[in-house]
Amino acid sequence: MNGTWDELVTSALLGTARRTPPVCARDGQDTAAALLDAAAVETVRRRAGALPAAARARPDPAPEDERPPLPAAARRRLAQLLADRTGGGRRTAAPDLTELLPQWLAAANRHGYQAPSALLPSLLEAARARTDLRTEALVLGGPRARWLAGLNPQWKYALRSGPAASQAAAGPADTRVWEEGLFAERAAYLTSLRRRDPAAARELLAGAWPTERAEDRLMFLDVLREGLSAADEPFLERTLDDRSRNVRATAAELLSALPGSALAARMADRARSCVSLDRTGGTGGMGGTGAGEGPRITVEAPHECDKDMQRDGVVVKPPSGRGERSWWLSQIVEAAPLAAWRERFGGRSPAGIVALPVTDGWQPELHAAWCRAAVRQRDAEWARALLGPASEPPAAEGASWRDPAKLLSALPAEERAEWVAEFVSAHGLSDAFRLLGVCAVPWAQPLGRAIVDALDTARDAGGYPWSFSGVMGLAERCLDPAQADRLEVLTAQPQEPDGGPAAAGAGAYWGEAFQRLVGTLRLRATMLAELKGPAGRPA
């Protein structure tokens, strides 16, 4: 007589030599074969005795999406991009479709289209595999994508995604979302309300503040960055007494971005007590910043971090390898309003202040804090002064405190592109990758021309094309597609340089790379035209 299913499975896993199965073998049949026969019979018996499961309730119908559908050509393009999204292998002269999908999604969303229902599963699966696609993919998918995600646990990320992706799920007037929704839905509602009515969003958050978890308070507080104004100061000032250190630090950061706030004034007073102008001149103690007669900046870092400083966001314990006093000083200067320094230094401009020598080796610390303040306060004049000319060497001695990529973010987009174009023209591409990442897309013509000229120069100099693959990939995605015809000449096979066996074949790779660049630009132009549709729908 056959044993139970569990006994048969146990014997099969352990092996018949170690566990005798509860079966009766026929004449001449070995034990293993008898086990398989018994398992087959037991399987049929189990299936025959299975009872039908109770029918589940049918899901609610998918919500309507009132946005216009994609033009037919754009719909076919999306299907192609989703089908080829895996990529892989060595790059050839053909465009890399995996890198074009994010750009296509963003362009489609600018037109306000909805995703085809038949492609929603593929779209959700693509966004599951690539987090950089999620925001734009879920905006295109709209309410139907979120409805579909609720039926498949593998797509649950769509139910907790950020504000931009879940706008369609939370109507701006539905306060029940704030009261009863998931965190992502509540964050989306608060963000939407903040954009329409900043005061109402702030009051809504203030009303729920005492009952929110610390991690949720931190994320909700971050919503106030958009549209931050002096009207937010009373709420943020109260938040400085929050029981969460991270919440207090974020509130202090937001207040320091308001130059007229009471916290900014307190930080300005502290900063002025630490940093001053010495008009007596002299040559001693310059700490490597230059010597000579004339005004100079002197620094006296704080000797303690009192309770008031801590309440205003100054962290007591420095990072490993950092001195306490310099750590406290940097936080104070970073949070002080930059406008206060003009008066402190006799009406000098930011450029004039930055040019002053600093005693006792404090220049890197002081200038680094000013850099962070310029980025936080979006002060273009200070950012411009701290950046200096683009023609300066990128690793100039004594300028390790400077982070050009962050400082550039405080400049207008056109000036940013001009500075990076001048930098590339002067120094080439080796230190330009991070700088290109902060430039608006498509790149302005001077910047695009500087990048292409630098790539062409690298090829003529016998450089290896794979050394510039990162910049080449950015160029494929960021150059103006209208430049494709002008760049056609670069696809010609160059003459091999005299570089020995190591350089052999580099010319073929360069030709292939430029063919891919031109092909990608033309494909991007075609994709944008497809999204406009036959009637030329504007973005």
Side-chain angles (χ1 to χ4, degrees):
M1 182 175 181
N2 293 335
T4 64
W5 176 257
D6 290 341
E7 292 173 329
L8 293 172
V9 171
T10 301
S11 297
L13 291 173
L14 295 176
T16 56
R18 298 178 59 190
R19 179 74 173 264
T20 302
V23 298
C24 296
R26 300 190 305 272
D27 292 341
Q29 186 182 37
D30 62 22
T31 305
L35 173 61
L36 293 175
D37 286 347
V41 172
E42 183 68 10
T43 298
V44 173
R45 188 188 70 79
R46 285 162 55 87
R47 289 177 177 175
L51 298 175
R56 291 183 298 176
R58 299 176 64 179
D60 295 332
E64 294 294 329
D65 193 336
E66 302 298 331
R67 296 175 297 174
L70 285 168
R75 186 167 60 250
R76 291 191 295 270
R77 182 70 64 188
L78 176 59
Q80 178 191 19
L81 294 172
L82 291 172
D84 293 344
R85 63 183 173 82
T86 53
R90 188 182 75 81
R91 298 196 69 185
T92 65
D96 186 350
L97 299 184
T98 63
E99 295 299 328
L100 294 181
L101 181 55
Q103 194 169 106
W104 187 96
L105 291 171
N109 286 329
R110 287 195 296 270
H111 286 276
Y113 290 123
Q114 62 166 287
S117 297
L119 294 179
L120 284 176
S122 297
L123 187 63
L124 287 167
E125 191 63 23
R128 181 174 75 91
R130 289 182 57 178
T131 56
D132 62 315
L133 296 177
R134 290 185 180 178
T135 297
E136 297 290 357
L138 293 179
V139 169
L140 185 70
R144 292 191 172 189
R146 291 179 59 81
W147 171 85
L148 190 61
L151 304 177
N152 185 347
Q154 289 189 325
W155 299 331
K156 61 184 179 181
Y157 71 86
L159 304 179
R160 59 171 185 264
S161 298
S166 52
Q167 286 296 317
D174 188 5
T175 57
R176 289 183 305 171
V177 171
W178 174 254
E179 297 167 356
E180 305 171 7
L182 300 173
F183 171 77
E185 295 170 331
R186 299 180 70 214
Y189 177 81
L190 186 66
T191 300
S192 176
L193 183 61
R194 178 69 173 179
R195 290 170 180 166
R196 294 181 295 107
D197 190 341
R202 182 182 63 251
E203 294 306 317
L204 185 68
L205 179 58
W209 192 259
T211 60
E212 300 290 346
R213 299 182 305 169
E215 54 268 34
D216 292 349
R217 293 200 305 276
L218 181 63
M219 298 298 291
F220 288 143
L221 190 63
D222 206 55
V223 172
L224 299 187
R225 292 183 188 277
E226 185 170 0
L228 184 67
S229 70
D232 300 316
E233 183 182 357
F235 171 70
L236 293 173
E237 185 72 27
R238 294 195 303 271
T239 307
L240 291 176
D241 296 314
D242 192 88
R243 56 187 180 274
S244 167
R245 181 172 65 85
N246 290 334
V247 171
R248 295 196 302 271
T250 300
E253 179 187 348
L254 292 173
L255 283 168
S256 67
L258 295 171
S261 67
L263 180 140
R266 295 193 295 269
M267 286 299 194
D269 289 340
R270 294 181 182 118
R272 281 191 289 264
S273 69
C274 297
V275 182
S276 59
L277 183 65
D278 180 3
R279 300 179 183 276
T280 62
T283 59
M286 297 305 293
T289 62
E293 298 183 356
R296 55 186 183 167
I297 297 175
T298 60
V299 176
E300 180 67 26
H303 290 273
E304 65 173 342
C305 184
D306 58 33
K307 295 296 184 182
D308 289 337
M309 290 169 61
Q310 294 177 45
R311 181 180 183 272
D312 284 346
V314 178
V315 178
V316 178
K317 187 175 180 180
S320 177
R322 185 82 176 271
E324 283 185 338
R325 296 182 64 197
S326 66
W327 171 241
W328 300 334
L329 173 74
S330 67
Q331 295 178 81
I332 290 171
V333 174
E334 178 182 349
L338 290 166
W341 298 112
R342 188 182 294 269
E343 178 184 354
R344 183 62 169 167
F345 294 117
R348 287 176 172 83
S349 67
I353 295 171
V354 170
L356 288 171
V358 184
T359 63
D360 300 323
W362 282 104
Q363 183 189 32
E365 195 75 59
L366 182 61
H367 283 206
W370 278 339
C371 285
R372 293 190 294 272
V375 174
R376 180 184 296 185
Q377 299 173 35
R378 315 304 298 173
D379 193 308
E381 188 177 6
W382 269 90
R384 198 175 293 121
L386 291 160
L387 266 173
S391 57
E392 285 186 358
E397 184 179 355
S400 59
W401 47 266
R402 189 174 63 171
D403 189 340
K406 291 183 178 179
L407 287 169
L408 283 168
S409 66
L411 298 181
E414 183 177 352
E415 183 179 355
R416 196 182 313 165
E418 292 174 355
W419 195 94
V420 177
E422 184 179 346
F423 181 93
V424 170
S425 298
H427 310 295
L429 296 169
S430 58
D431 294 296
F433 189 80
R434 285 189 67 233
L435 306 181
L436 293 172
V438 300
C439 294
V441 177
W443 288 336
Q445 187 173 354
L447 176 57
R449 184 167 53 249
I451 296 299
V452 172
D453 289 346
L455 288 169
D456 196 22
T457 299
R459 176 178 65 172
D460 292 342
Y464 296 106
W466 43 90
S467 300
F468 302 95
S469 59
V471 174
M472 185 68 80
L474 278 178
E476 293 171 15
R477 300 188 296 274
C478 301
L479 276 174
D480 188 342
Q483 301 298 313
D485 291 340
R486 186 178 68 84
L487 302 179
E488 179 71 36
V489 66
L490 298 176
T491 62
Q493 182 79 10
Q495 183 178 359
E496 292 286 353
D498 296 330
Y509 279 103
W510 273 112
E512 188 178 90
F514 280 118
Q515 288 172 24
R516 183 174 59 248
L517 172 60
V518 173
T520 302
L521 293 179
R522 286 177 174 157
L523 179 56
R524 285 173 53 207
T526 300
M527 287 166 42
L528 294 174
E530 290 169 347
L531 286 168
K532 292 181 180 179
R537 174 188 176 94

